[in-house]
Amino acid sequence: ALGELDAAELEVTFLDPPVTLERIEETLREGYHVLHYLGHGAFSKRRGQAALYLQDDTGNAQIIADDALIGMLARQQERPRLVFLAACQSAVRSTADAFAGLGPKLVSAGVPAVVAMQDFVAVETARKLSTTFYQRLTEHGTVDLAMNEARSTLVTAGRPDAAVPVLFMRLKSGQLWGAEADARGEVLGSTKPRAFWTTLMRQI
């Protein structure tokens, strides 16, 4: 998804297995602007809780409840400005509480923007969405515009699950960089998007 972007202006870190919550936290402390998760997700209607499938120290699958992930991010001195969850049901919300879901909870915890999936999503759809989204975001830095442009690509391609990706955002302007982000203390230094772009991608 990021192969066509300028490698001189984009730093991508792939977290090698085992991908544990502890290792994600350790890596984020180095300072990353984006956390991109590519893996399995699930939502329990009975519990009204989402979960991601990570790994334990031996490489076996480990289910991480949304509260554990959110708590870890909330404790970071500098949180990612964008969390991209290419995981099924990572945006599903409880019918009893619109804020009970991984996407809304992350925004409530202080993440400026969250891309997540409100149902099951195909790998090809997630790939196409990511490609256009990141290409456009690095051009203009406006996350909701980049999301609309990426969704348009899915519609044009005839993807049946084009409506599954959704954006949760707490930025009025939609700008991940600039005056609004500066006011929130989420940017240090230049306001040019390309000068800042650093992405943490992890695969499991």
Side-chain angles (χ1 to χ4, degrees), residues 86-155:
C88 294
Q89 300 186 320
S90 53
V92 175
R93 288 174 284 179
S94 169
T95 56
D97 183 358
F99 293 96
L102 183 50
K105 285 182 178 180
L106 284 169
V107 172
S108 297
V111 178
V114 178
V115 175
M117 308 297 154
Q118 56 188 341
D119 204 340
F120 298 101
V121 64
V123 172
E124 182 62 23
T125 297
R127 182 182 296 113
K128 286 182 178 292
L129 178 79
S130 301
T131 300
T132 303
F133 177 81
Y134 285 120
Q135 287 174 344
R136 300 305 299 148
L137 188 60
T138 55
E139 289 294 329
H140 51 64
T142 306
V143 65
D144 53 340
L145 177 57
M147 185 64 174
N148 287 338
E149 291 169 330
R151 189 189 304 280
S152 178
T153 299
L154 297 181
V155 173

Side-chain angles (χ1 to χ4, degrees), residues 149-178:
E149 291 169 330
R151 189 189 304 280
S152 178
T153 299
L154 297 181
V155 173
T156 301
R159 299 300 306 174
D161 47 358
V164 171
V166 63
L167 170 68
F168 300 94
M169 184 177 66
R170 60 187 297 145
L171 298 170
K172 292 181 180 180
S173 68
Q175 282 284 333
L176 284 184
W177 300 269

